[in-house]
Amino acid sequence: MAQVRNKQVILKNYVSGFPKESDMNIIDSTITLKLPEGSHDVLLKNLYLSCDPYMRTLMTNPKYSFNPRSYTLQSPINGIGVSKVLESGDQNYKEGDLVWGITNWEEYSLVSAAQIHFKIEHTDDVPLSYYTGILGMPGMTAYAGFFEVGKPKKGENVFVSAASGAVGQLVGQFAKLIGCHVVGSAGSKEKVDLLKNKFGYDEAINYKEEHDLNAALKKYFPEGIDIYFENVGGKTLDAVLLNMRIHGRIPVCGMISQYNLNQHEGVTNLAHLIYKRIRMEGFVVANFYHLYNKFLEFVLPHIREGKVVYVEDIAEGLENGPAALVGIFNGRNVGKQVLVVARE
Amino acid sequence: MAQVRNKQVILKNYVSGFPKESDMNIIDSTITLKLPEGSHDVLLKNLYLSCDPYMRTLMTNPKYSFNPRSYTLQSPINGIGVSKVLESGDQNYKEGDLVWGITNWEEYSLVSAAQIHFKIEHTDDVPLSYYTGILGMPGMTAYAGFFEVGKPKKGENVFVSAASGAVGQLVGQFAKLIGCHVVGSAGSKEKVDLLKNKFGYDEAINYKEEHDLNAALKKYFPEGIDIYFENVGGKTLDAVLLNMRIHGRIPVCGMISQYNLNQHEGVTNLAHLIYKRIRMEGFVVANFYHLYNKFLEFVLPHIREGKVVYVEDIAEGLENGPAALVGIFNGRNVGKQVLVVARE
């Protein structure tokens, strides 16, 4: 059986501080496009790969990382992707199925069926790449974090950081759908414009130009914040804690501002958790995938009616993968960063 | 109507940093022991006063404090106390009733009926002073924080800081009652001995002698901590975050290590809230007083059967109030710090 080229993005060295493109390498490997005899695995052709902040935590030397799942040096990195099944040794999948789940950053991957999260019932009125974003992990993250962890009520005041990102842009729109007052922060004029003009945020803060975030939050939330959807951590969290309202909630989705720091910034205002009786709750989307079908029933009609929109930042080709991934830690992406490996 | 002496503890100046005895003054005021004509207030003879960490936050200049209830300069400070009703303009109380609630640090107080929390059904088999502690606010705090906020399950691993204090000594005993593994930290050999020999803690840490709290926690909780009952904040919280277990809970009761710092210590390990899906929730006991009767039904039989014990540190006389109050911030008290004004 002939082998074909299998381009890969591999991790060259463990990362400390901000990741650089040179921490990864593009190599040409080969693969036999045939399932090994008796295998129960699934052979995938990768189409769209997702660039997500949590991936940084897997680039740290496992000796210094809390996370036992660190990437393996000289092996392809992995993440969420949309793939087509070429051959399956698992009865749940068959040739031609579209799926999303954990796959490797390469053209073709042989994965355990357990790595596949869901089969995609694709319809042509939504882009297939959306299954790396609004219809996939980030979408479920926004939905579960806002509704299940945040437990919002109509009319409440909601603040979202990294508000134009893969998750943030949805949290803001979901909050508007149920009648909340929503303010977001992002790191450029372009993103702030998107927040107000595209995602329907009531107000938006460019945190890079705002020298006194505490004062800005006081201005936009004179009565305080009921829900802070936490994506960044550090100084933003500290300013938010001063502005929370009694019985406020902080779903902790991510702390992207901290992932590249060898010593995390100290958060000093945690005593406000007591003064305001705040619930601050970390969550990971994997605990909420049982709600996925319910989520699709909720979000698909909104997409089709144009009531929820989604902005993607598309990079083309595995060779541009390292730049795309590194870019999300510098805020270079506008909207969800997707990497196209192949279009079916 | 003759006036009588009314000794008071007044706040001389706002406090920055650790409070000192000299921040307060003892003065002799006078009071007429007769309710003003038509008053709906209640005239109290104060018996036992409670020294509680939250009182420090009321000693800060209100200009620099989040808390609008700061004490008034040159006026008596206030706190929780057990008092006897001398005369009542409110129909819920009558002469001779024993009550506990917010009163002033003085011999006699004229208070609004709304400041009284509960009437005491006193029986001679428990000390009346217990209503400043195990049968009062700290007892309810331990009960609500551990059971209602912490939601413990049998067999879980529980860590308590300030573990021999007014609240901590009870959290540990409650946790043992339901079959948890319980470790506490405190700041002296005497307290550590109390934890193990009197309160039934499985293990105890003297945090002043433990240079690597992270390592100590790893030793005592090889499988991690399910519930951390937070009384101190700062470095202890940071070490605990590294040792929490997935789906752990941190009821945030207090952060006494921080109240005297002009700049709070930074907590750097909050990203573990995400990694471990931790719920960290601040609470104040006032939101749980509807459970007070249920709490008494739970705790009184345990006290009578000797299954729950309570250690008090009793100071005698208002003139010793400033020292007693200041002492709790230096860890001088062993057990619940009570100040006796009069014994009925």
Side-chain angles (χ1 to χ4, degrees):
Chain A
M1 182 81 195
Q3 293 197 316
V4 298
R5 183 198 66 183
N6 192 21
K7 195 182 287 188
Q8 300 179 316
V9 177
I10 63 163
L11 187 65
K12 207 161 69 185
N13 45 255
Y14 289 121
V15 176
S16 140
F18 273 80
K20 306 176 299 296
E21 289 183 51
S22 59
D23 293 322
M24 290 162 271
N25 253 344
I26 315 288
I27 65 162
D28 277 352
S29 174
T30 57
I31 187 170
T32 304
L33 290 187
K34 178 89 194 107
L35 210 57
E37 191 68 30
S39 167
H40 294 288
D41 291 341
V42 184
L43 186 64
L44 299 175
K45 179 182 183 188
N46 295 317
L47 304 176
Y48 300 97
L49 296 174
S50 180
C51 298
D52 292 300
Y54 81 87
M55 296 168 74
R56 168 65 187 83
T57 65
L58 306 181
M59 300 174 115
T60 300
N61 188 326
K63 269 200 282 192
Y64 309 117
S65 174
F66 65 92
N67 194 327
R69 298 186 303 123
S70 286
Y71 294 141
T72 306
L73 288 185
Q74 309 306 330
S75 292
I77 66 172
N78 61 61
I80 300 266
V82 169
S83 311
K84 190 155 86 172
V85 174
L86 298 183
E87 196 180 353
S88 175
D90 182 280
Q91 60 181 13
N92 293 309
Y93 305 102
K94 60 175 196 307
E95 186 187 338
D97 280 351
L98 293 166
V99 297
W100 71 268
I102 304 286
T103 189
N104 300 324
W105 279 42
E106 57 190 354
E107 292 174 279
Y108 304 98
S109 297
L110 186 63
V111 303
S112 148
Q115 287 182 229
I116 298 174
H117 290 342
F118 293 98
K119 205 185 290 194
I120 296 171
E121 309 293 343
H122 186 50
T123 54
D124 283 338
D125 54 353
V126 293
L128 185 56
S129 58
Y130 273 18
Y131 288 89
T132 66
I134 182 170
L135 297 175
M137 188 274 280
M140 262 310 293
T141 301
Y143 179 78
F146 184 61
F147 290 109
E148 299 291 319
V149 183
K151 300 206 181 301
K153 291 188 277 287
K154 184 178 172 179
E156 284 194 322
N157 295 324
V158 176
F159 180 59
V160 184
S161 54
S164 69
V167 174
Q169 56 176 298
L170 293 174
V171 174
Q173 293 181 79
F174 293 166
K176 288 309 299 177
L177 280 177
I178 63 163
C180 291
H181 175 71
V182 192
V183 179
S185 69
S188 73
K189 182 174 184 316
E190 181 183 9
K191 292 178 185 178
V192 160
D193 288 346
L194 264 184
L195 291 183
K196 292 214 267 196
N197 302 326
K198 184 135 188 121
F199 304 134
Y201 275 76
D202 295 297
E203 301 287 349
I205 296 170
N206 181 345
Y207 73 87
K208 288 189 180 161
E209 302 209 325
E210 190 56 71
H211 296 298
D212 188 345
L213 187 55
N214 178 21
L217 290 171
K218 279 199 171 27
K219 183 174 87 181
Y220 290 129
F221 295 106
E223 294 175 350
I225 299 166
D226 294 295
I227 298 180
Y228 168 48
F229 195 96
E230 166 68 299
N231 285 315
V232 303
K235 292 188 180 72
T236 302
L237 174 58
D238 239 356
V240 166
L241 284 166
L242 297 173
N243 288 281
M244 290 296 290
R245 208 169 181 180
I246 284 181
H247 292 302
R249 288 134 277 154
I250 304 180
V252 186
C253 176
M255 293 195 169
I256 194 173
S257 75
Q258 305 299 298
Y259 296 156
N260 301 303
L261 305 178
N262 290 327
Q263 176 62 44
H264 286 190
E265 289 176 308
V267 172
T268 62
N269 293 322
L270 287 170
H272 286 259
L273 295 181
I274 311 166
Y275 311 150
K276 315 282 182 55
R277 305 145 220 196
I278 296 164
R279 173 168 57 85
M280 186 168 174
E281 187 163 350
F283 70 99
V284 296
V285 65
N287 291 122
F288 295 95
Y289 279 146
H290 59 283
L291 300 175
Y292 184 60
N293 286 327
K294 190 178 157 199
F295 165 63
L296 287 184
E297 283 167 27
F298 162 80
V299 77
L300 276 169
H302 286 306
I303 296 175
R304 290 181 176 127
E305 292 163 24
K307 287 188 181 154
V308 169
V309 298
Y310 201 61
V311 171
E312 297 180 312
D313 194 329
I314 307 264
E316 296 282 343
L318 272 173
E319 57 282 8
N320 292 312
L325 182 55
V326 165
I328 66 172
F329 297 102
N330 299 309
R332 216 150 56 201
N333 59 309
V334 176
K336 166 68 191 173
Q337 182 67 57
V338 182
L339 179 66
V340 184
V341 182
R343 297 178 189 273
E344 298 216 38
Chain B
M1 181 78 192
Q3 293 198 314
V4 299
R5 183 199 66 183
N6 192 21
K7 195 181 287 187
Q8 300 178 316
V9 177
I10 64 163
L11 187 67
K12 206 161 72 181
N13 45 257
Y14 289 121
V15 176
S16 142
F18 273 80
K20 304 177 299 296
E21 288 184 52
S22 59
D23 293 323
M24 290 163 269
N25 253 344
I26 313 290
I27 64 162
D28 277 351
S29 173
T30 57
I31 187 171
T32 304
L33 288 186
K34 176 90 195 108
L35 211 57
E37 191 68 31
S39 166
H40 293 289
D41 290 341
V42 183
L43 186 64
L44 299 176
K45 179 181 182 189
N46 295 316
L47 305 176
Y48 299 97
L49 296 174
S50 179
C51 297
D52 291 301
Y54 81 87
M55 296 169 74
R56 168 63 186 85
T57 66
L58 306 181
M59 299 175 116
T60 300
N61 189 326
K63 267 199 283 190
Y64 310 115
S65 174
F66 66 92
N67 194 327
R69 297 186 303 123
S70 285
Y71 295 140
T72 306
L73 287 185
Q74 308 308 329
S75 293
I77 65 173
N78 61 59
I80 301 268
V82 170
S83 311
K84 190 157 86 173
V85 175
L86 297 183
E87 196 180 354
S88 175
D90 183 280
Q91 61 182 14
N92 293 309
Y93 305 100
K94 63 176 194 307
E95 187 187 336
D97 280 350
L98 292 167
V99 297
W100 70 268
I102 304 286
T103 190
N104 299 324
W105 279 41
E106 58 190 355
E107 292 173 279
Y108 304 98
S109 297
L110 187 64
V111 303
S112 147
Q115 288 181 229
I116 298 174
H117 291 341
F118 294 98
K119 205 186 287 194
I120 297 171
E121 309 295 341
H122 186 50
T123 53
D124 284 338
D125 54 352
V126 293
L128 185 57
S129 58
Y130 273 18
Y131 288 89
T132 66
I134 183 171
L135 297 174
M137 186 274 279
M140 263 309 292
T141 300
Y143 179 77
F146 183 61
F147 290 109
E148 299 293 318
V149 183
K151 301 208 184 298
K153 290 189 277 289
K154 185 179 171 178
E156 285 194 321
N157 295 324
V158 177
F159 181 59
V160 184
S161 53
S164 70
V167 174
Q169 56 176 296
L170 293 174
V171 174
Q173 293 181 78
F174 293 167
K176 287 309 297 177
L177 280 178
I178 63 162
C180 292
H181 175 71
V182 192
V183 179
S185 70
S188 74
K189 181 171 184 320
E190 181 183 9
K191 292 177 185 177
V192 160
D193 288 345
L194 265 184
L195 292 183
K196 293 214 267 194
N197 302 326
K198 183 137 188 121
F199 303 134
Y201 275 76
D202 295 296
E203 300 288 350
I205 296 170
N206 181 345
Y207 71 87
K208 289 190 180 162
E209 302 210 324
E210 189 55 71
H211 296 297
D212 187 344
L213 187 55
N214 179 22
L217 291 171
K218 279 198 173 28
K219 182 173 87 179
Y220 290 130
F221 295 106
E223 294 175 350
I225 299 165
D226 295 294
I227 298 180
Y228 168 48
F229 196 96
E230 166 67 300
N231 284 314
V232 303
K235 292 189 181 73
T236 302
L237 175 57
D238 238 356
V240 166
L241 284 166
L242 297 174
N243 288 282
M244 289 296 290
R245 209 168 180 179
I246 284 181
H247 293 302
R249 288 133 276 153
I250 305 180
V252 187
C253 176
M255 293 194 168
I256 194 172
S257 76
Q258 306 298 299
Y259 297 156
N260 302 303
L261 305 177
N262 290 328
Q263 176 62 45
H264 286 191
E265 290 175 307
V267 172
T268 61
N269 293 321
L270 288 169
H272 286 260
L273 295 181
I274 312 166
Y275 311 149
K276 315 283 182 54
R277 306 144 217 195
I278 295 164
R279 173 166 58 84
M280 186 168 172
E281 186 163 349
F283 70 97
V284 296
V285 63
N287 291 120
F288 295 93
Y289 278 146
H290 59 284
L291 301 175
Y292 184 60
N293 285 328
K294 190 178 157 200
F295 165 64
L296 288 183
E297 283 167 27
F298 163 80
V299 79
L300 276 169
H302 285 307
I303 296 175
R304 290 181 177 130
E305 292 164 23
K307 286 187 182 154
V308 169
V309 297
Y310 201 61
V311 171
E312 299 180 311
D313 194 329
I314 308 263
E316 294 282 344
L318 272 172
E319 58 281 8
N320 291 312
L325 182 55
V326 165
I328 66 171
F329 298 102
N330 299 310
R332 215 149 55 201
N333 59 309
V334 176
K336 166 68 191 175
Q337 182 66 59
V338 182
L339 179 66
V340 183
V341 182
R343 298 179 187 271
E344 296 214 38

